[in-house]
Amino acid sequence: MISEGAVGARVKSLREAMDLSLRDLSERSGVSAPMLSQVERGDTSPTLAVAQKIAAGLDLTLSQLLRLDEDRHVVIVRAKQRRTRRRRGHVIEELTPPLPGQRADVSEHSLAPGAATGATDDPPVHEPGSRETAVVLDGTVELFIDGQRHELSEGDSVTFDADLPHHFENNSSSEARLIAVVAAGLRRG
């Protein structure tokens, strides 16, 4: 279990790992930005009701936020507890929990026919030096990266510099699924 004094530091780490400002988390949780700031600085301990709201704003259960479900250094994400986002035929399921200091994230992507993980002109979403490895589980996808196109079929994998503009497209007539692992800041010069 997380110690009482560490709640604020954990909230701040999780918020930053999700690239949320205090205002963003305030909107997502319904807890005021000044209160969130006080919690993060350790000036106040949140009530259970406030901690519940903060957890929900971070897409976590209260147990996950307070680390009540952790056994030493093991965190289990049950299939039904995965954080899931949907956008224009693209479903992303986060397979790793948002832990402070985590340097790699694993996610499963499902692409409906004609769907893409992003648009051609989207800016890179990963920090400089990040690397991504993707494995196609089902179907066929096309990786567009740095002006080049690469076709990948079931069982194929690819590793690339994830801080370059890139996206996957499913231009087939059936759903495609892939697993992606993004490791932060590993590439050197």
Side-chain angles (χ1 to χ4, degrees), residues 164-181:
L164 296 173
H166 69 277
H167 70 279
F168 290 92
E169 290 182 9
N170 178 3
N171 293 311
S172 72
S173 59
S174 58
E175 181 178 87
R177 288 185 323 119
L178 57 107
I179 294 280
V181 179

Side-chain angles (χ1 to χ4, degrees), residues 8 11-12 15-16 19-41:
V11 169
K12 183 175 182 178
R15 176 180 61 78
E16 290 175 347
D19 199 27
L20 298 173
S21 68
L22 280 171
R23 182 175 293 155
D24 294 335
L25 182 54
S26 175
E27 290 172 7
R28 290 171 57 118
S29 66
V31 176
S32 73
M35 171 60 86
L36 289 170
S37 179
Q38 289 177 352
V39 168
E40 286 187 359
R41 289 192 316 264

Side-chain angles (χ1 to χ4, degrees), residues 61-141:
T61 64
L62 181 59
S63 292
Q64 289 169 322
L65 177 64
L66 300 179
R67 291 186 166 173
L68 299 175
D69 56 351
E70 293 182 19
D71 182 16
R72 296 190 171 193
H73 298 286
V74 175
V75 181
I76 296 173
V77 177
R78 302 287 180 201
K80 292 181 181 181
Q81 295 175 328
R82 291 180 185 166
R83 294 174 295 138
T84 303
R85 299 186 310 267
R86 291 173 170 76
R87 190 176 113 178
R88 297 188 307 258
H90 176 208
V91 178
I92 306 164
E93 289 190 66
E94 299 292 336
L95 305 179
T96 47
L99 299 174
Q102 186 163 292
R103 303 298 293 161
D105 292 301
V106 181
S107 54
E108 181 177 337
H109 300 256
S110 299
L111 292 170
T117 59
T120 327
D121 57 349
D122 282 352
V125 295
H126 304 297
E127 70 180 68
S130 296
R131 280 248 168 90
E132 182 168 342
T133 297
V135 180
V136 180
L137 301 175
D138 295 309
T140 302
V141 296

